[in-house]
Short mmCIF file of all heavy atoms in Angstrom, two decimals:
data_model
loop_
_atom_site.label_atom_id
_atom_site.label_comp_id
_atom_site.label_asym_id
_atom_site.label_seq_id
_atom_site.Cartn_x
_atom_site.Cartn_y
_atom_site.Cartn_z
N TRP A 165 71.64 -140.26 41.58
CA TRP A 165 70.27 -140.87 41.61
C TRP A 165 69.76 -141.07 43.00
O TRP A 165 68.68 -140.74 43.35
CB TRP A 165 70.34 -142.27 40.87
CG TRP A 165 68.97 -142.81 40.72
CD1 TRP A 165 68.08 -142.59 39.68
CD2 TRP A 165 68.26 -143.66 41.65
NE1 TRP A 165 66.94 -143.24 39.93
CE2 TRP A 165 67.01 -143.95 41.14
CE3 TRP A 165 68.62 -144.30 42.85
CZ2 TRP A 165 66.06 -144.74 41.76
CZ3 TRP A 165 67.71 -145.01 43.53
CH2 TRP A 165 66.46 -145.28 42.97
N HIS A 166 70.63 -141.49 43.87
CA HIS A 166 70.29 -141.75 45.30
C HIS A 166 69.87 -140.44 45.99
O HIS A 166 68.90 -140.45 46.71
CB HIS A 166 71.48 -142.38 45.96
CG HIS A 166 71.09 -142.94 47.32
ND1 HIS A 166 71.91 -142.81 48.41
CD2 HIS A 166 70.07 -143.64 47.77
CE1 HIS A 166 71.34 -143.36 49.44
NE2 HIS A 166 70.23 -143.88 49.08
N THR A 167 70.61 -139.38 45.71
CA THR A 167 70.22 -138.06 46.33
C THR A 167 68.82 -137.64 45.95
O THR A 167 68.06 -137.15 46.78
CB THR A 167 71.24 -136.96 45.86
OG1 THR A 167 72.53 -137.44 46.14
CG2 THR A 167 70.96 -135.69 46.51
N ARG A 168 68.46 -137.90 44.68
CA ARG A 168 67.10 -137.51 44.25
C ARG A 168 66.09 -138.46 44.73
O ARG A 168 64.94 -138.16 44.97
CB ARG A 168 67.04 -137.49 42.71
CG ARG A 168 67.86 -136.38 42.04
CD ARG A 168 67.35 -134.98 42.34
NE ARG A 168 66.02 -134.71 41.94
CZ ARG A 168 65.68 -134.11 40.79
NH1 ARG A 168 66.60 -133.70 39.90
NH2 ARG A 168 64.37 -133.88 40.47
N PHE A 169 66.44 -139.79 44.82
CA PHE A 169 65.48 -140.79 45.20
C PHE A 169 65.15 -140.77 46.70
O PHE A 169 64.02 -141.04 47.09
CB PHE A 169 65.95 -142.20 44.81
CG PHE A 169 65.08 -143.28 45.31
CD1 PHE A 169 63.86 -143.55 44.63
CD2 PHE A 169 65.36 -144.04 46.42
CE1 PHE A 169 63.01 -144.48 45.09
CE2 PHE A 169 64.50 -145.02 46.91
CZ PHE A 169 63.32 -145.23 46.22
N LEU A 170 66.16 -140.47 47.48
CA LEU A 170 66.04 -140.61 48.96
C LEU A 170 64.77 -140.01 49.58
O LEU A 170 64.05 -140.67 50.33
CB LEU A 170 67.25 -140.01 49.61
CG LEU A 170 67.70 -140.56 50.93
CD1 LEU A 170 68.04 -142.03 50.81
CD2 LEU A 170 68.90 -139.81 51.45
N PRO A 171 64.38 -138.79 49.20
CA PRO A 171 63.16 -138.18 49.77
C PRO A 171 61.89 -138.99 49.40
O PRO A 171 60.84 -138.78 50.03
CB PRO A 171 63.14 -136.80 49.17
CG PRO A 171 64.50 -136.52 48.72
CD PRO A 171 65.09 -137.82 48.30
N LEU A 172 61.96 -139.78 48.36
CA LEU A 172 60.77 -140.56 47.89
C LEU A 172 60.67 -141.95 48.52
O LEU A 172 59.66 -142.59 48.37
CB LEU A 172 60.73 -140.64 46.39
CG LEU A 172 60.87 -139.35 45.59
CD1 LEU A 172 60.73 -139.65 44.09
CD2 LEU A 172 59.80 -138.39 45.99
N ALA A 173 61.75 -142.42 49.16
CA ALA A 173 61.80 -143.82 49.60
C ALA A 173 60.60 -144.21 50.49
O ALA A 173 60.09 -145.29 50.36
CB ALA A 173 63.15 -144.08 50.32
N ASP A 174 60.22 -143.29 51.35
CA ASP A 174 59.18 -143.55 52.30
C ASP A 174 57.78 -143.71 51.63
O ASP A 174 56.91 -144.32 52.20
CB ASP A 174 59.18 -142.42 53.32
CG ASP A 174 58.12 -142.64 54.37
OD1 ASP A 174 58.10 -143.74 54.95
OD2 ASP A 174 57.29 -141.78 54.66
N LEU A 175 57.64 -143.17 50.44
CA LEU A 175 56.36 -143.17 49.79
C LEU A 175 55.86 -144.56 49.44
O LEU A 175 54.62 -144.91 49.47
CB LEU A 175 56.39 -142.41 48.44
CG LEU A 175 56.62 -140.90 48.57
CD1 LEU A 175 56.67 -140.26 47.12
CD2 LEU A 175 55.50 -140.25 49.39
N PHE A 176 56.83 -145.51 49.17
CA PHE A 176 56.40 -146.86 48.85
C PHE A 176 55.63 -147.53 49.98
O PHE A 176 54.57 -148.11 49.77
CB PHE A 176 57.68 -147.68 48.43
CG PHE A 176 58.19 -147.29 47.09
CD1 PHE A 176 59.06 -146.20 46.91
CD2 PHE A 176 57.85 -148.02 45.96
CE1 PHE A 176 59.52 -145.89 45.71
CE2 PHE A 176 58.32 -147.73 44.73
CZ PHE A 176 59.17 -146.58 44.57
N ARG A 177 56.19 -147.41 51.19
CA ARG A 177 55.41 -148.02 52.32
C ARG A 177 54.17 -147.23 52.62
O ARG A 177 53.15 -147.80 52.83
CB ARG A 177 56.36 -147.98 53.57
CG ARG A 177 55.76 -148.79 54.69
CD ARG A 177 56.37 -148.35 56.05
NE ARG A 177 56.32 -146.95 56.26
CZ ARG A 177 55.26 -146.27 56.68
NH1 ARG A 177 54.13 -146.90 56.87
NH2 ARG A 177 55.30 -144.99 56.83
#
Side-chain angles (χ1 to χ4, degrees):
W165 187 87
H166 191 223
T167 306
R168 294 292 303 260
F169 175 76
L170 210 59
L172 307 182
D174 182 50
L175 293 179
F176 286 83
R177 187 201 53 78

